[in-house]
Amino acid sequence: MLVDFLRSYKDELISEKATVEEGLDAIRTRLLESQKFLDVVKDETAEVFTDFTPRNINSKNQERIDETEAEIADYEEQISAMELRLSNIENRLNETTEAIREAETFRQRTGKEVSVDKDILINIISYLPADPMRAKIELENLL
């Protein structure tokens, strides 16, 4: 039962990781598009004006540049937040894999199934992100 629960939790983490990676790819694509657009607008703004070119083009382009730079900064913040979230998911995934391996090793050594209440396991999982060592100790106490 313990191993089955940990495996289902691992599957949830894998699904969440895939979702975050897809979102991260989408934001990175939008960031690249915004950076390319910014380059185009800056190049257009830097062109030499003739005597008959109205000067309001430059102010419109400056507004676009400011908006695009703000978008780029927002995308970069989102990317760093998603990378941190992805790192946390990967850490929990590694810890869950280790817990599965330990539970399977124990089951093989003792030759019996480990049975634990689901509420206890959920409580232990809540320790994983903040205090993985405590979660390990709690799992060891169950065994």
Side-chain angles (χ1 to χ4, degrees):
M1 179 175 166
L2 173 65
V3 175
D4 294 335
F5 178 78
L6 289 172
R7 284 186 180 145
S8 68
Y9 181 65
K10 181 179 177 180
D11 291 340
E12 290 175 19
L13 288 174
I14 290 170
S15 174
E16 183 179 353
K17 180 181 174 184
T19 304
V20 171
E21 286 175 340
E22 288 174 10
L24 188 59
D25 287 342
I27 291 176
R28 284 182 176 155
T29 301
R30 282 187 255 152
L31 175 66
L32 289 174
E33 290 171 352
S34 294
Q35 288 172 336
K36 296 288 183 184
F37 178 72
L38 181 64
D39 292 340
V40 168
V41 173
K42 281 185 176 181
D43 288 344
E44 184 180 298
T45 303
E47 291 179 358
V48 178
F49 290 103
T50 63
D51 293 336
F52 299 107
T53 305
R55 296 294 181 196
N56 65 353
I57 292 174
N58 195 18
S59 66
K60 289 179 184 176
N61 284 348
Q62 189 59 44
E63 289 175 12
R64 286 186 197 162
I65 289 171
D66 293 341
E67 290 173 4
T68 306
E69 286 175 342
E71 275 182 10
I72 288 172
D74 183 48
Y75 289 148
E76 288 172 345
E77 289 176 16
Q78 289 179 20
I79 287 172
S80 59
M82 290 182 88
E83 285 174 342
L84 179 63
R85 182 176 173 199
L86 191 60
S87 174
N88 289 336
I89 291 170
E90 287 174 353
N91 288 340
R92 287 188 290 166
L93 194 56
N94 290 337
E95 292 165 359
T96 304
T97 302
E98 179 66 23
I100 290 170
R101 190 177 57 76
E102 287 180 17
E104 287 177 340
T105 302
F106 178 77
R107 182 172 47 180
Q108 289 172 356
R109 265 189 293 138
T110 61
K112 62 181 180 179
E113 182 70 28
V114 178
S115 180
V116 180
D117 220 12
K118 187 175 182 178
D119 293 334
I120 294 171
L121 292 176
I122 290 173
N123 188 31
I124 292 172
I125 285 175
S126 69
Y127 298 141
L128 282 175
D131 193 2
M133 192 54 121
R134 180 171 178 191
K136 183 177 179 183
I137 291 170
E138 293 290 331
L139 283 173
E140 288 173 353
N141 289 339
L142 290 176
L143 301 176

mmCIF file of all heavy atoms in Angstrom, residues 55-99:
data_model
loop_
_atom_site.group_PDB
_atom_site.id
_atom_site.type_symbol
_atom_site.label_atom_id
_atom_site.label_comp_id
_atom_site.label_asym_id
_atom_site.label_seq_id
_atom_site.Cartn_x
_atom_site.Cartn_y
_atom_site.Cartn_z
ATOM 1 N N ARG A 55 7.696 63.658 -37.023
ATOM 2 C CA ARG A 55 8.444 63.197 -35.847
ATOM 3 C C ARG A 55 7.592 62.354 -34.888
ATOM 4 O O ARG A 55 8.126 61.765 -33.977
ATOM 5 C CB ARG A 55 9.016 64.389 -35.090
ATOM 6 C CG ARG A 55 10.035 65.177 -35.872
ATOM 7 C CD ARG A 55 11.252 64.336 -36.106
ATOM 8 N NE ARG A 55 12.245 65.127 -36.847
ATOM 9 C CZ ARG A 55 13.263 64.613 -37.456
ATOM 10 N NH1 ARG A 55 13.443 63.331 -37.437
ATOM 11 N NH2 ARG A 55 14.104 65.371 -38.094
ATOM 12 N N ASN A 56 6.292 62.256 -35.067
ATOM 13 C CA ASN A 56 5.463 61.480 -34.142
ATOM 14 C C ASN A 56 5.685 59.980 -34.291
ATOM 15 O O ASN A 56 5.312 59.207 -33.436
ATOM 16 C CB ASN A 56 3.986 61.822 -34.294
ATOM 17 C CG ASN A 56 3.425 61.425 -35.644
ATOM 18 O OD1 ASN A 56 4.163 61.006 -36.546
ATOM 19 N ND2 ASN A 56 2.124 61.578 -35.786
ATOM 20 N N ILE A 57 6.305 59.539 -35.369
ATOM 21 C CA ILE A 57 6.638 58.115 -35.545
ATOM 22 C C ILE A 57 7.566 57.681 -34.433
ATOM 23 O O ILE A 57 7.420 56.610 -33.853
ATOM 24 C CB ILE A 57 7.285 57.876 -36.926
ATOM 25 C CG1 ILE A 57 6.271 58.111 -38.036
ATOM 26 C CG2 ILE A 57 7.868 56.486 -37.010
ATOM 27 C CD1 ILE A 57 6.860 58.032 -39.426
ATOM 28 N N ASN A 58 8.504 58.522 -34.124
ATOM 29 C CA ASN A 58 9.473 58.210 -33.083
ATOM 30 C C ASN A 58 8.787 58.043 -31.728
ATOM 31 O O ASN A 58 9.125 57.132 -30.969
ATOM 32 C CB ASN A 58 10.538 59.302 -33.023
ATOM 33 C CG ASN A 58 11.744 58.875 -32.227
ATOM 34 O OD1 ASN A 58 11.943 57.697 -31.991
ATOM 35 N ND2 ASN A 58 12.538 59.832 -31.807
ATOM 36 N N SER A 59 7.816 58.879 -31.401
ATOM 37 C CA SER A 59 7.138 58.755 -30.111
ATOM 38 C C SER A 59 6.280 57.493 -30.053
ATOM 39 O O SER A 59 6.187 56.836 -29.016
ATOM 40 C CB SER A 59 6.282 59.988 -29.829
ATOM 41 O OG SER A 59 5.221 60.079 -30.752
ATOM 42 N N LYS A 60 5.638 57.124 -31.171
ATOM 43 C CA LYS A 60 4.856 55.879 -31.196
ATOM 44 C C LYS A 60 5.775 54.674 -31.028
ATOM 45 O O LYS A 60 5.448 53.728 -30.321
ATOM 46 C CB LYS A 60 4.071 55.759 -32.505
ATOM 47 C CG LYS A 60 2.920 56.713 -32.622
ATOM 48 C CD LYS A 60 2.214 56.536 -33.951
ATOM 49 C CE LYS A 60 1.119 57.567 -34.119
ATOM 50 N NZ LYS A 60 0.474 57.478 -35.430
ATOM 51 N N ASN A 61 6.907 54.720 -31.698
ATOM 52 C CA ASN A 61 7.859 53.624 -31.575
ATOM 53 C C ASN A 61 8.414 53.539 -30.155
ATOM 54 O O ASN A 61 8.630 52.441 -29.635
ATOM 55 C CB ASN A 61 9.001 53.781 -32.572
ATOM 56 C CG ASN A 61 8.592 53.415 -33.981
ATOM 57 O OD1 ASN A 61 7.527 52.831 -34.184
ATOM 58 N ND2 ASN A 61 9.421 53.755 -34.942
ATOM 59 N N GLN A 62 8.627 54.679 -29.529
ATOM 60 C CA GLN A 62 9.135 54.663 -28.154
ATOM 61 C C GLN A 62 8.118 54.030 -27.215
ATOM 62 O O GLN A 62 8.488 53.293 -26.306
ATOM 63 C CB GLN A 62 9.492 56.083 -27.690
ATOM 64 C CG GLN A 62 10.215 56.112 -26.358
ATOM 65 C CD GLN A 62 11.513 55.317 -26.376
ATOM 66 O OE1 GLN A 62 12.302 55.402 -27.311
ATOM 67 N NE2 GLN A 62 11.740 54.531 -25.340
ATOM 68 N N GLU A 63 6.838 54.294 -27.449
ATOM 69 C CA GLU A 63 5.789 53.656 -26.637
ATOM 70 C C GLU A 63 5.823 52.138 -26.831
ATOM 71 O O GLU A 63 5.709 51.378 -25.865
ATOM 72 C CB GLU A 63 4.410 54.196 -27.017
ATOM 73 C CG GLU A 63 4.163 55.616 -26.592
ATOM 74 C CD GLU A 63 2.835 56.147 -27.098
ATOM 75 O OE1 GLU A 63 2.002 55.344 -27.589
ATOM 76 O OE2 GLU A 63 2.624 57.364 -27.003
ATOM 77 N N ARG A 64 5.971 51.708 -28.067
ATOM 78 C CA ARG A 64 6.070 50.261 -28.340
ATOM 79 C C ARG A 64 7.298 49.668 -27.666
ATOM 80 O O ARG A 64 7.240 48.567 -27.112
ATOM 81 C CB ARG A 64 6.165 50.010 -29.841
ATOM 82 C CG ARG A 64 4.893 50.188 -30.584
ATOM 83 C CD ARG A 64 5.112 49.771 -32.010
ATOM 84 N NE ARG A 64 4.070 50.266 -32.881
ATOM 85 C CZ ARG A 64 4.167 50.348 -34.187
ATOM 86 N NH1 ARG A 64 5.271 49.967 -34.786
ATOM 87 N NH2 ARG A 64 3.175 50.794 -34.908
ATOM 88 N N ILE A 65 8.406 50.380 -27.736
ATOM 89 C CA ILE A 65 9.643 49.891 -27.110
ATOM 90 C C ILE A 65 9.434 49.736 -25.610
ATOM 91 O O ILE A 65 9.804 48.702 -25.022
ATOM 92 C CB ILE A 65 10.823 50.841 -27.424
ATOM 93 C CG1 ILE A 65 11.214 50.718 -28.896
ATOM 94 C CG2 ILE A 65 12.017 50.542 -26.521
ATOM 95 C CD1 ILE A 65 12.219 51.750 -29.364
ATOM 96 N N ASP A 66 8.842 50.740 -24.972
ATOM 97 C CA ASP A 66 8.617 50.682 -23.522
ATOM 98 C C ASP A 66 7.692 49.521 -23.151
ATOM 99 O O ASP A 66 7.950 48.788 -22.185
ATOM 100 C CB ASP A 66 8.027 52.004 -23.018
ATOM 101 C CG ASP A 66 9.016 53.163 -23.135
ATOM 102 O OD1 ASP A 66 10.233 52.905 -23.251
ATOM 103 O OD2 ASP A 66 8.551 54.325 -23.118
ATOM 104 N N GLU A 67 6.613 49.340 -23.911
ATOM 105 C CA GLU A 67 5.679 48.244 -23.647
ATOM 106 C C GLU A 67 6.361 46.894 -23.823
ATOM 107 O O GLU A 67 6.177 45.980 -23.007
ATOM 108 C CB GLU A 67 4.476 48.338 -24.591
ATOM 109 C CG GLU A 67 3.547 49.486 -24.307
ATOM 110 C CD GLU A 67 2.471 49.640 -25.370
ATOM 111 O OE1 GLU A 67 2.392 48.805 -26.301
ATOM 112 O OE2 GLU A 67 1.700 50.613 -25.278
ATOM 113 N N THR A 68 7.135 46.777 -24.881
ATOM 114 C CA THR A 68 7.805 45.495 -25.153
ATOM 115 C C THR A 68 8.860 45.196 -24.100
ATOM 116 O O THR A 68 9.008 44.051 -23.670
ATOM 117 C CB THR A 68 8.430 45.513 -26.564
ATOM 118 O OG1 THR A 68 7.418 45.872 -27.503
ATOM 119 C CG2 THR A 68 8.991 44.157 -26.918
ATOM 120 N N GLU A 69 9.590 46.199 -23.660
ATOM 121 C CA GLU A 69 10.586 45.985 -22.603
ATOM 122 C C GLU A 69 9.911 45.563 -21.300
ATOM 123 O O GLU A 69 10.432 44.712 -20.573
ATOM 124 C CB GLU A 69 11.427 47.241 -22.402
ATOM 125 C CG GLU A 69 12.432 47.464 -23.521
ATOM 126 C CD GLU A 69 13.201 48.764 -23.395
ATOM 127 O OE1 GLU A 69 12.749 49.673 -22.646
ATOM 128 O OE2 GLU A 69 14.245 48.877 -24.059
ATOM 129 N N ALA A 70 8.744 46.124 -21.011
ATOM 130 C CA ALA A 70 7.996 45.717 -19.819
ATOM 131 C C ALA A 70 7.525 44.267 -19.945
ATOM 132 O O ALA A 70 7.583 43.500 -18.977
ATOM 133 C CB ALA A 70 6.805 46.652 -19.600
ATOM 134 N N GLU A 71 7.062 43.895 -21.140
ATOM 135 C CA GLU A 71 6.664 42.496 -21.388
ATOM 136 C C GLU A 71 7.838 41.558 -21.177
ATOM 137 O O GLU A 71 7.701 40.501 -20.563
ATOM 138 C CB GLU A 71 6.170 42.327 -22.825
ATOM 139 C CG GLU A 71 4.741 42.639 -23.068
ATOM 140 C CD GLU A 71 4.347 42.400 -24.530
ATOM 141 O OE1 GLU A 71 5.146 41.821 -25.290
ATOM 142 O OE2 GLU A 71 3.233 42.799 -24.883
ATOM 143 N N ILE A 72 8.992 41.929 -21.720
ATOM 144 C CA ILE A 72 10.186 41.088 -21.607
ATOM 145 C C ILE A 72 10.559 40.897 -20.138
ATOM 146 O O ILE A 72 10.867 39.780 -19.707
ATOM 147 C CB ILE A 72 11.347 41.685 -22.424
ATOM 148 C CG1 ILE A 72 11.064 41.511 -23.919
ATOM 149 C CG2 ILE A 72 12.681 41.045 -22.043
ATOM 150 C CD1 ILE A 72 12.048 42.220 -24.826
ATOM 151 N N ALA A 73 10.527 41.967 -19.354
ATOM 152 C CA ALA A 73 10.847 41.864 -17.926
ATOM 153 C C ALA A 73 9.855 40.941 -17.218
ATOM 154 O O ALA A 73 10.252 40.115 -16.379
ATOM 155 C CB ALA A 73 10.842 43.247 -17.291
ATOM 156 N N ASP A 74 8.572 41.043 -17.575
ATOM 157 C CA ASP A 74 7.548 40.185 -16.977
ATOM 158 C C ASP A 74 7.787 38.713 -17.347
ATOM 159 O O ASP A 74 7.700 37.830 -16.499
ATOM 160 C CB ASP A 74 6.162 40.630 -17.437
ATOM 161 C CG ASP A 74 5.055 39.830 -16.781
ATOM 162 O OD1 ASP A 74 5.090 39.662 -15.547
ATOM 163 O OD2 ASP A 74 4.156 39.365 -17.513
ATOM 164 N N TYR A 75 8.103 38.467 -18.619
ATOM 165 C CA TYR A 75 8.377 37.095 -19.059
ATOM 166 C C TYR A 75 9.589 36.516 -18.329
ATOM 167 O O TYR A 75 9.582 35.351 -17.928
ATOM 168 C CB TYR A 75 8.611 37.032 -20.567
ATOM 169 C CG TYR A 75 7.366 37.258 -21.408
ATOM 170 C CD1 TYR A 75 7.457 37.868 -22.653
ATOM 171 C CD2 TYR A 75 6.113 36.870 -20.970
ATOM 172 C CE1 TYR A 75 6.331 38.070 -23.435
ATOM 173 C CE2 TYR A 75 4.983 37.076 -21.735
ATOM 174 C CZ TYR A 75 5.098 37.674 -22.976
ATOM 175 O OH TYR A 75 3.983 37.878 -23.744
ATOM 176 N N GLU A 76 10.610 37.327 -18.144
ATOM 177 C CA GLU A 76 11.811 36.844 -17.446
ATOM 178 C C GLU A 76 11.503 36.485 -15.998
ATOM 179 O O GLU A 76 12.010 35.487 -15.478
ATOM 180 C CB GLU A 76 12.926 37.887 -17.537
ATOM 181 C CG GLU A 76 13.519 37.987 -18.933
ATOM 182 C CD GLU A 76 14.486 39.139 -19.110
ATOM 183 O OE1 GLU A 76 14.508 40.058 -18.241
ATOM 184 O OE2 GLU A 76 15.225 39.130 -20.118
ATOM 185 N N GLU A 77 10.645 37.282 -15.342
ATOM 186 C CA GLU A 77 10.234 36.961 -13.969
ATOM 187 C C GLU A 77 9.446 35.656 -13.937
ATOM 188 O O GLU A 77 9.655 34.818 -13.050
ATOM 189 C CB GLU A 77 9.393 38.092 -13.387
ATOM 190 C CG GLU A 77 10.156 39.344 -13.066
ATOM 191 C CD GLU A 77 9.257 40.468 -12.576
ATOM 192 O OE1 GLU A 77 8.088 40.190 -12.203
ATOM 193 O OE2 GLU A 77 9.710 41.618 -12.577
ATOM 194 N N GLN A 78 8.532 35.490 -14.897
ATOM 195 C CA GLN A 78 7.739 34.261 -14.959
ATOM 196 C C GLN A 78 8.634 33.052 -15.198
ATOM 197 O O GLN A 78 8.430 31.986 -14.598
ATOM 198 C CB GLN A 78 6.692 34.359 -16.068
ATOM 199 C CG GLN A 78 5.564 35.311 -15.785
ATOM 200 C CD GLN A 78 4.568 35.377 -16.931
ATOM 201 O OE1 GLN A 78 4.497 34.473 -17.760
ATOM 202 N NE2 GLN A 78 3.800 36.447 -16.989
ATOM 203 N N ILE A 79 9.620 33.206 -16.063
ATOM 204 C CA ILE A 79 10.527 32.101 -16.365
ATOM 205 C C ILE A 79 11.309 31.699 -15.123
ATOM 206 O O ILE A 79 11.425 30.512 -14.801
ATOM 207 C CB ILE A 79 11.468 32.465 -17.528
ATOM 208 C CG1 ILE A 79 10.691 32.458 -18.844
ATOM 209 C CG2 ILE A 79 12.664 31.526 -17.596
ATOM 210 C CD1 ILE A 79 11.469 32.987 -20.037
ATOM 211 N N SER A 80 11.845 32.677 -14.392
ATOM 212 C CA SER A 80 12.618 32.321 -13.198
ATOM 213 C C SER A 80 11.731 31.679 -12.136
ATOM 214 O O SER A 80 12.150 30.731 -11.459
ATOM 215 C CB SER A 80 13.363 33.534 -12.648
ATOM 216 O OG SER A 80 12.484 34.558 -12.315
ATOM 217 N N ALA A 81 10.488 32.141 -11.998
ATOM 218 C CA ALA A 81 9.569 31.526 -11.033
ATOM 219 C C ALA A 81 9.230 30.090 -11.437
ATOM 220 O O ALA A 81 9.191 29.185 -10.590
ATOM 221 C CB ALA A 81 8.293 32.350 -10.913
ATOM 222 N N MET A 82 9.009 29.873 -12.739
ATOM 223 C CA MET A 82 8.675 28.526 -13.204
ATOM 224 C C MET A 82 9.884 27.594 -13.107
ATOM 225 O O MET A 82 9.728 26.401 -12.818
ATOM 226 C CB MET A 82 8.144 28.575 -14.626
ATOM 227 C CG MET A 82 6.767 29.217 -14.705
ATOM 228 S SD MET A 82 6.104 29.224 -16.356
ATOM 229 C CE MET A 82 5.284 27.623 -16.356
ATOM 230 N N GLU A 83 11.085 28.118 -13.335
ATOM 231 C CA GLU A 83 12.283 27.289 -13.190
ATOM 232 C C GLU A 83 12.476 26.874 -11.737
ATOM 233 O O GLU A 83 12.864 25.744 -11.452
ATOM 234 C CB GLU A 83 13.511 28.037 -13.712
ATOM 235 C CG GLU A 83 13.571 28.098 -15.218
ATOM 236 C CD GLU A 83 14.710 28.949 -15.749
ATOM 237 O OE1 GLU A 83 15.265 29.782 -14.977
ATOM 238 O OE2 GLU A 83 15.047 28.798 -16.938
ATOM 239 N N LEU A 84 12.185 27.783 -10.807
ATOM 240 C CA LEU A 84 12.267 27.445 -9.383
ATOM 241 C C LEU A 84 11.233 26.380 -9.033
ATOM 242 O O LEU A 84 11.543 25.405 -8.323
ATOM 243 C CB LEU A 84 12.051 28.698 -8.532
ATOM 244 C CG LEU A 84 12.086 28.502 -7.027
ATOM 245 C CD1 LEU A 84 13.463 28.019 -6.591
ATOM 246 C CD2 LEU A 84 11.720 29.786 -6.323
ATOM 247 N N ARG A 85 10.019 26.546 -9.543
ATOM 248 C CA ARG A 85 8.957 25.553 -9.298
ATOM 249 C C ARG A 85 9.354 24.196 -9.877
ATOM 250 O O ARG A 85 9.161 23.159 -9.239
ATOM 251 C CB ARG A 85 7.660 26.042 -9.927
ATOM 252 C CG ARG A 85 6.492 25.139 -9.690
ATOM 253 C CD ARG A 85 5.226 25.738 -10.247
ATOM 254 N NE ARG A 85 4.143 24.774 -10.164
ATOM 255 C CZ ARG A 85 3.047 24.855 -10.865
ATOM 256 N NH1 ARG A 85 2.846 25.855 -11.687
ATOM 257 N NH2 ARG A 85 2.118 23.926 -10.750
ATOM 258 N N LEU A 86 9.931 24.220 -11.067
ATOM 259 C CA LEU A 86 10.367 22.980 -11.711
ATOM 260 C C LEU A 86 11.466 22.303 -10.895
ATOM 261 O O LEU A 86 11.468 21.082 -10.731
ATOM 262 C CB LEU A 86 10.850 23.279 -13.130
ATOM 263 C CG LEU A 86 11.112 22.111 -14.053
ATOM 264 C CD1 LEU A 86 9.850 21.285 -14.246
ATOM 265 C CD2 LEU A 86 11.615 22.609 -15.398
ATOM 266 N N SER A 87 12.373 23.089 -10.369
ATOM 267 C CA SER A 87 13.443 22.544 -9.527
ATOM 268 C C SER A 87 12.865 21.896 -8.269
ATOM 269 O O SER A 87 13.293 20.806 -7.867
ATOM 270 C CB SER A 87 14.407 23.662 -9.151
ATOM 271 O OG SER A 87 15.357 23.224 -8.236
ATOM 272 N N ASN A 88 11.874 22.550 -7.650
ATOM 273 C CA ASN A 88 11.232 21.978 -6.458
ATOM 274 C C ASN A 88 10.529 20.667 -6.791
ATOM 275 O O ASN A 88 10.594 19.701 -6.018
ATOM 276 C CB ASN A 88 10.242 22.964 -5.852
ATOM 277 C CG ASN A 88 10.924 24.136 -5.195
ATOM 278 O OD1 ASN A 88 12.077 24.051 -4.793
ATOM 279 N ND2 ASN A 88 10.226 25.248 -5.100
ATOM 280 N N ILE A 89 9.855 20.621 -7.929
ATOM 281 C CA ILE A 89 9.166 19.397 -8.347
ATOM 282 C C ILE A 89 10.180 18.278 -8.565
ATOM 283 O O ILE A 89 9.960 17.140 -8.142
ATOM 284 C CB ILE A 89 8.331 19.646 -9.620
ATOM 285 C CG1 ILE A 89 7.139 20.553 -9.304
ATOM 286 C CG2 ILE A 89 7.846 18.335 -10.222
ATOM 287 C CD1 ILE A 89 6.390 21.041 -10.531
ATOM 288 N N GLU A 90 11.288 18.597 -9.215
ATOM 289 C CA GLU A 90 12.311 17.577 -9.460
ATOM 290 C C GLU A 90 12.899 17.064 -8.152
ATOM 291 O O GLU A 90 13.156 15.857 -8.015
ATOM 292 C CB GLU A 90 13.401 18.143 -10.361
ATOM 293 C CG GLU A 90 12.948 18.308 -11.796
ATOM 294 C CD GLU A 90 13.975 18.996 -12.684
ATOM 295 O OE1 GLU A 90 15.005 19.480 -12.169
ATOM 296 O OE2 GLU A 90 13.738 19.045 -13.903
ATOM 297 N N ASN A 91 13.103 17.952 -7.176
ATOM 298 C CA ASN A 91 13.609 17.518 -5.870
ATOM 299 C C ASN A 91 12.622 16.571 -5.186
ATOM 300 O O ASN A 91 13.015 15.527 -4.651
ATOM 301 C CB ASN A 91 13.885 18.721 -4.968
ATOM 302 C CG ASN A 91 15.097 19.504 -5.398
ATOM 303 O OD1 ASN A 91 15.957 18.989 -6.120
ATOM 304 N ND2 ASN A 91 15.176 20.748 -4.992
ATOM 305 N N ARG A 92 11.332 16.946 -5.198
ATOM 306 C CA ARG A 92 10.317 16.068 -4.595
ATOM 307 C C ARG A 92 10.223 14.738 -5.334
ATOM 308 O O ARG A 92 10.039 13.689 -4.732
ATOM 309 C CB ARG A 92 8.949 16.751 -4.575
ATOM 310 C CG ARG A 92 8.851 17.850 -3.540
ATOM 311 C CD ARG A 92 7.461 18.371 -3.421
ATOM 312 N NE ARG A 92 7.143 19.110 -4.648
ATOM 313 C CZ ARG A 92 5.929 19.471 -4.996
ATOM 314 N NH1 ARG A 92 4.896 19.168 -4.256
ATOM 315 N NH2 ARG A 92 5.725 20.145 -6.114
ATOM 316 N N LEU A 93 10.394 14.791 -6.648
ATOM 317 C CA LEU A 93 10.357 13.575 -7.458
ATOM 318 C C LEU A 93 11.516 12.650 -7.084
ATOM 319 O O LEU A 93 11.334 11.434 -6.922
ATOM 320 C CB LEU A 93 10.411 13.947 -8.942
ATOM 321 C CG LEU A 93 10.060 12.898 -9.965
ATOM 322 C CD1 LEU A 93 8.679 12.333 -9.715
ATOM 323 C CD2 LEU A 93 10.114 13.496 -11.359
ATOM 324 N N ASN A 94 12.701 13.221 -6.921
ATOM 325 C CA ASN A 94 13.861 12.428 -6.513
ATOM 326 C C ASN A 94 13.660 11.830 -5.119
ATOM 327 O O ASN A 94 13.988 10.659 -4.880
ATOM 328 C CB ASN A 94 15.129 13.277 -6.542
ATOM 329 C CG ASN A 94 15.554 13.633 -7.948
ATOM 330 O OD1 ASN A 94 15.213 12.956 -8.902
ATOM 331 N ND2 ASN A 94 16.297 14.719 -8.075
ATOM 332 N N GLU A 95 13.113 12.627 -4.197
ATOM 333 C CA GLU A 95 12.875 12.126 -2.845
ATOM 334 C C GLU A 95 11.824 11.025 -2.841
ATOM 335 O O GLU A 95 11.950 10.035 -2.113
ATOM 336 C CB GLU A 95 12.447 13.286 -1.942
ATOM 337 C CG GLU A 95 13.553 14.280 -1.688
ATOM 338 C CD GLU A 95 13.060 15.592 -1.125
ATOM 339 O OE1 GLU A 95 11.832 15.758 -0.947
ATOM 340 O OE2 GLU A 95 13.901 16.461 -0.873
ATOM 341 N N THR A 96 10.799 11.170 -3.663
ATOM 342 C CA THR A 96 9.753 10.150 -3.751
ATOM 343 C C THR A 96 10.313 8.865 -4.347
ATOM 344 O O THR A 96 10.001 7.770 -3.869
ATOM 345 C CB THR A 96 8.575 10.666 -4.600
ATOM 346 O OG1 THR A 96 8.101 11.888 -4.028
ATOM 347 C CG2 THR A 96 7.440 9.660 -4.632
ATOM 348 N N THR A 97 11.139 8.993 -5.365
ATOM 349 C CA THR A 97 11.770 7.814 -5.969
ATOM 350 C C THR A 97 12.631 7.086 -4.939
ATOM 351 O O THR A 97 12.609 5.849 -4.863
ATOM 352 C CB THR A 97 12.623 8.236 -7.191
ATOM 353 O OG1 THR A 97 11.790 8.904 -8.129
ATOM 354 C CG2 THR A 97 13.275 7.043 -7.840
ATOM 355 N N GLU A 98 13.358 7.855 -4.149
ATOM 356 C CA GLU A 98 14.189 7.261 -3.094
ATOM 357 C C GLU A 98 13.317 6.559 -2.051
ATOM 358 O O GLU A 98 13.628 5.458 -1.600
ATOM 359 C CB GLU A 98 15.042 8.349 -2.431
ATOM 360 C CG GLU A 98 15.915 7.859 -1.313
ATOM 361 C CD GLU A 98 17.015 6.915 -1.756
ATOM 362 O OE1 GLU A 98 17.402 6.940 -2.937
ATOM 363 O OE2 GLU A 98 17.483 6.128 -0.904
ATOM 364 N N ALA A 99 12.196 7.177 -1.688
ATOM 365 C CA ALA A 99 11.291 6.565 -0.707
ATOM 366 C C ALA A 99 10.691 5.272 -1.258
ATOM 367 O O ALA A 99 10.554 4.282 -0.524
ATOM 368 C CB ALA A 99 10.186 7.546 -0.333
#
